[in-house]
Amino acid sequence: SHMLWKRPLLSVAFASTSTSSTSSHNMPTPPFQNTDASLTDILTTTKTIALVGASIKPNRAANYVMEYLLSKGYNVIPVNPIYATKGTKVHDQTVYASLAAITVPIDMVDIFRNSVDAGGVVDEAIAVGAKAVWLQSGVINEEAAQRALTAGLKVAMNVCPKQEIPRLL
């Protein structure tokens, strides 16, 4: 009987938040969902990819995914501040310290960082005018995805282009 008493109050509370514009921020945004159409759009319109979290270690996804993207004809620019300082190259490509250091337009930022750090990378991508952000498999940051969408960027999250390209293209 305790639950029955609470139910009408809950529905009243929900009704008031959904109709009132001042408290609309209380309504949670639904989680981001990739679609085959949105992934295909990103993969087919992208030419230049900035790959953040680039690695020279062959067993790291950032390394073999970069190699795969290069083999598919994308222009892949590795981003890693430590490598950039040392002049280390990844797959014969010059490494940049940040997205802001890249002088050509960036179509997609492929993010190989943890979910928390990905937020800052998404903000950098927005700041440099990238057209899309791609958060790799296991990299999930709902707030960052929403910031990117709000800024007009295309978003892919918790997926890998090395798996999606053969599936969709």
Side-chain angles (χ1 to χ4, degrees), residues 120-132:
V121 179
V122 167
D123 293 334
E124 285 182 58
I126 294 167
V128 301
K131 295 183 189 73

Side-chain angles (χ1 to χ4, degrees), residues 43-68:
L43 293 169
T44 54
T45 58
T46 292
K47 291 179 181 63
T48 300
I49 299 172
L51 193 142
V52 177
S55 176
I56 53 171
K57 297 173 184 159
N59 61 324
R60 297 293 294 269
N63 183 284
Y64 57 78
V65 171
M66 178 176 168
E67 187 174 35
Y68 176 80

Side-chain angles (χ1 to χ4, degrees), residues 15-36:
S16 64
T17 54
S18 58
T19 52
S20 159
S21 61
T22 52
S23 56
S24 63
H25 65 273
N26 293 332
M27 297 297 287
T29 307
F32 175 81
Q33 293 286 332
N34 300 297
T35 66
D36 285 356

Side-chain angles (χ1 to χ4, degrees), residues 66-85:
M66 178 176 168
E67 187 174 35
Y68 176 80
L69 291 169
L70 287 166
S71 78
K72 289 294 172 185
Y74 293 100
N75 173 29
V76 187
I77 304 170
V79 177
N80 179 316
I82 296 163
Y83 292 171
T85 306

Side-chain angles (χ1 to χ4, degrees), residues 42-153:
I42 293 171
L43 293 169
T44 54
T45 58
T46 292
K47 291 179 181 63
T48 300
I49 299 172
L51 193 142
V52 177
S55 176
I56 53 171
K57 297 173 184 159
N59 61 324
R60 297 293 294 269
N63 183 284
Y64 57 78
V65 171
M66 178 176 168
E67 187 174 35
Y68 176 80
L69 291 169
L70 287 166
S71 78
K72 289 294 172 185
Y74 293 100
N75 173 29
V76 187
I77 304 170
V79 177
N80 179 316
I82 296 163
Y83 292 171
T85 306
K86 294 178 178 174
T88 305
K89 289 192 168 193
V90 181
H91 296 300
D92 295 325
Q93 308 301 307
T94 300
V95 181
Y96 289 79
S98 66
L99 294 179
I102 298 171
T103 54
V104 296
I106 301 166
D107 296 316
M108 186 239 279
V109 178
D110 194 1
I111 304 173
F112 288 84
R113 299 292 306 276
N114 69 47
S115 297
V116 175
D117 290 347
V121 179
V122 167
D123 293 334
E124 285 182 58
I126 294 167
V128 301
K131 295 183 189 73
V133 287
W134 188 295
L135 285 69
Q136 280 290 143
S137 306
V139 184
I140 302 168
N141 187 319
E142 295 287 349
E143 295 80 10
Q146 288 305 319
R147 289 198 301 276
L149 290 169
T150 301
L153 282 73

